[in-house]
Amino acid sequence: MESDELNRFAAGLDSIYACKDSYEAALLSAGSVCEATETVVKGKTTNAVAIVCPPGHHAEAHCCKGFCFYNNVAVAAMKARRELGVKKVMIVDWDVHHGNGTQHIFENDPSVLYVSLHRYDHGTFYPNSNEANFNAVGKERGAGYNVNIAWNKSRMGDSEYLAAFHQVILPIAYEFCPNLVIISAGFDAAEGDPLGGCKITPAGYAHMIHLLMGLAQGKVVVALEGGYNLTAISRSMAACTAALLGDPIPVLNPVRPSKSALQSINDTARVHAQYWKSLSWRGNLEFIASSPAPTRATPTLDAATPRTPNAGGRDSSSEGGSPALPEEAQCSSDAAAAASSSEGQSGVAVPFVVPPAVCASMGLNEGEEALSMFAVSPKRDCPHLASISSLPEEGVDVRAACATCSTTKENWTCLHCYQVLCGWYTNEHMVAHNAETGGVHKVVLSFADLSVWCYGCESYLESPLLRKILSAAHLNKFGTS
């Protein structure tokens, strides 16, 4: 396809950019995850990491979406099931965005357990769908095998994620007893990511990896998904890889999870207690909180997710039983005893309405629609681009040191004065430069990934006005324009 055709193709999709090499890159990305999975399943290695791009978990079976062309992890899971003889696969998705594509692909399939921890923010966080809420549990035979832990606030970190692991994810995982674990490892929930708004540390990711290595005889595949800070991605993935290699897990300081996180965990546990015996304690997580649980009205299970009568469907002889699986795929006699026929329907998703309190916090009038408030698409109409300076004759040196502290880690250049300074993830000298100029020098270029950020718009930018500068930076960094 020519450039104009590719642009028209991408314009009709949600957050997709396409160039002449996108197809090949997407094939390589999906193929690499499949290769890593096959290597682990065949016992050539105990575990594997696939550092790939483009990511995949937003891609639907019928269309590209959210920077994703093929659903890499879903393709690998299907290959494991259909070609490699794996009976049960668990997918854990800790990208800060909900993996809508993965959920839809497997929502009817009881052989794949999909677990996602993500920001939901009452439906206002990308991909802005109520199907990312806790009451989307799967459909028909797959009811109970889709587990959404939907955060409704930002700043979730190690304590919140590990609480979710210990209270919901691991109990379900051990009851399900997978033969393979694949992780959709987006690192946009990492501390330092400019878009995710969360604060998982590299040590936190290492702990989550360590916990998952107790499943499936340690057969774990980690596939890179999203992330918008190369330093945070690198440190987080390095910690995950070290954990897979058996390095000691860093010690974490005990911090009490937030009340909002406990509410989200309780919601997921309560709605899944009808499917998993291990969650029969549902509703008793308040003891972790430092003060009584919020007294606001919370929808009951029946109100939030109406159940379908058992006529011709699920056997209700054992309350809270786990979903049925083929006999040969069950983990133990206990799981076999708890299993039942699984012909029910999933809960009906609640239509999304922005609650009044959320409207107030977002500066909206009650009932006003939140229009893609947290979209990750770059801004194309930044008014501050008009004040950037022309490219200097000497071009851009992406290996230049910070003019203030001489570091070469995570440096940026100001596109107004072309001074090189380090980012906030190191010594924050570029942030200070923005403040020292009275906020006039707003637009900066990252040497790490050649992205352009505007402090005034608080957004990444994309514009024809940047092409000459980006081309020069790319030439300096990679030897090609």
Side-chain angles (χ1 to χ4, degrees), residues 90-106:
M90 178 182 184
I91 298 174
V92 178
D93 187 341
W94 65 45
D95 189 284
V96 79
H97 302 98
H98 177 244
N100 54 284
T102 311
Q103 173 171 311
H104 291 152
I105 288 168
F106 294 114

Side-chain angles (χ1 to χ4, degrees), residues 254-329:
V255 178
R256 198 178 299 275
S258 69
K259 292 181 181 180
S260 176
L262 294 182
Q263 183 63 54
S264 296
I265 294 169
N266 274 331
D267 287 341
T268 302
R270 186 178 68 252
V271 78
H272 277 276
Q274 62 177 312
Y275 304 110
W276 302 97
K277 288 182 65 178
S278 55
L279 298 182
S280 58
W281 56 267
R282 70 185 186 276
N284 294 325
L285 196 57
E286 287 79 10
F287 76 93
I288 298 179
S290 57
S291 58
T295 56
R296 66 176 177 81
T298 301
T300 64
L301 176 62
D302 290 334
T305 55
R307 304 184 203 179
T308 301
N310 281 332
R314 188 182 301 278
D315 181 355
S316 58
S317 59
S318 62
E319 183 180 353
S322 59
L325 283 172
E327 183 175 350
E328 68 274 14

Side-chain angles (χ1 to χ4, degrees), residues 126-470:
Y126 189 89
N128 311 97
S129 169
N130 59 7
E131 292 185 337
N133 206 3
F134 68 89
N135 56 355
V137 298
K139 298 180 179 179
E140 300 174 353
R141 295 179 65 248
Y145 293 96
N146 190 87
V147 182
N148 283 328
I149 297 173
W151 307 129
N152 283 312
K153 287 188 177 181
S154 62
R155 307 296 293 167
M156 300 299 176
D158 297 344
S159 59
E160 287 79 15
Y161 277 76
L162 290 174
F165 264 72
H166 287 293
Q167 301 297 333
V168 175
I169 297 173
L170 291 178
I172 292 177
Y174 277 100
E175 191 171 341
F176 177 66
C177 198
N179 308 110
L180 173 69
V181 176
I182 305 178
I183 302 173
S184 277
F187 293 111
D188 38 11
E191 187 175 48
D193 188 275
L195 294 179
C198 291
K199 52 179 182 176
I200 307 177
T201 67
Y205 284 115
H207 275 262
M208 291 190 284
I209 287 284
H210 184 70
L211 293 172
L212 293 172
M213 288 172 66
L215 301 163
Q217 298 179 315
K219 294 180 179 178
V220 176
V221 177
V222 180
L224 181 63
E225 293 282 359
Y228 305 92
N229 181 313
L230 280 181
T231 303
I233 294 171
S234 302
R235 292 176 177 175
S236 300
M237 182 60 91
C240 290
T241 305
L244 289 173
L245 292 171
D247 287 3
I249 306 302
V251 176
L252 291 174
N253 294 324
V255 178
R256 198 178 299 275
S258 69
K259 292 181 181 180
S260 176
L262 294 182
Q263 183 63 54
S264 296
I265 294 169
N266 274 331
D267 287 341
T268 302
R270 186 178 68 252
V271 78
H272 277 276
Q274 62 177 312
Y275 304 110
W276 302 97
K277 288 182 65 178
S278 55
L279 298 182
S280 58
W281 56 267
R282 70 185 186 276
N284 294 325
L285 196 57
E286 287 79 10
F287 76 93
I288 298 179
S290 57
S291 58
T295 56
R296 66 176 177 81
T298 301
T300 64
L301 176 62
D302 290 334
T305 55
R307 304 184 203 179
T308 301
N310 281 332
R314 188 182 301 278
D315 181 355
S316 58
S317 59
S318 62
E319 183 180 353
S322 59
L325 283 172
E327 183 175 350
E328 68 274 14
Q330 294 177 7
C331 183
S332 65
S333 57
D334 289 342
S340 58
S341 63
S342 54
E343 292 298 325
Q345 294 182 352
S346 67
V348 177
V350 179
F352 168 60
V353 177
V354 181
V358 178
C359 287
S361 68
M362 292 162 50
L364 301 174
N365 296 320
E366 186 170 341
E368 184 178 349
E369 185 179 3
L371 296 175
S372 301
M373 180 177 171
F374 296 98
V376 293
S377 300
K379 187 177 180 66
R380 292 179 171 84
D381 57 351
C382 170
H384 309 110
L385 285 174
S387 62
I388 66 174
S389 301
S390 301
L391 181 70
E393 291 185 7
E394 63 272 20
V396 176
D397 181 5
V398 300
R399 295 165 185 82
C402 173
T404 301
C405 67
S406 300
T407 183
T408 56
K409 296 180 179 179
E410 203 206 359
N411 283 344
W412 300 69
T413 186
C414 173
L415 296 187
H416 302 271
C417 65
Y418 287 91
Q419 187 172 2
V420 176
L421 296 162
C422 61
W424 75 273
Y425 207 69
T426 46
N427 295 318
E428 304 186 5
H429 289 128
M430 185 59 80
V431 180
H433 176 68
N434 171 249
E436 289 165 359
T437 61
V440 174
H441 290 197
K442 296 180 173 68
V443 184
V444 294
L445 167 69
S446 167
F447 288 168
D449 58 6
L450 304 186
S451 60
V452 177
W453 176 264
C454 176
Y455 286 110
C457 298
E458 293 189 345
S459 174
Y460 286 108
L461 306 181
E462 180 179 283
S463 169
L465 297 174
L466 297 169
R467 287 176 184 168
K468 186 175 181 180
I469 298 170
L470 291 174

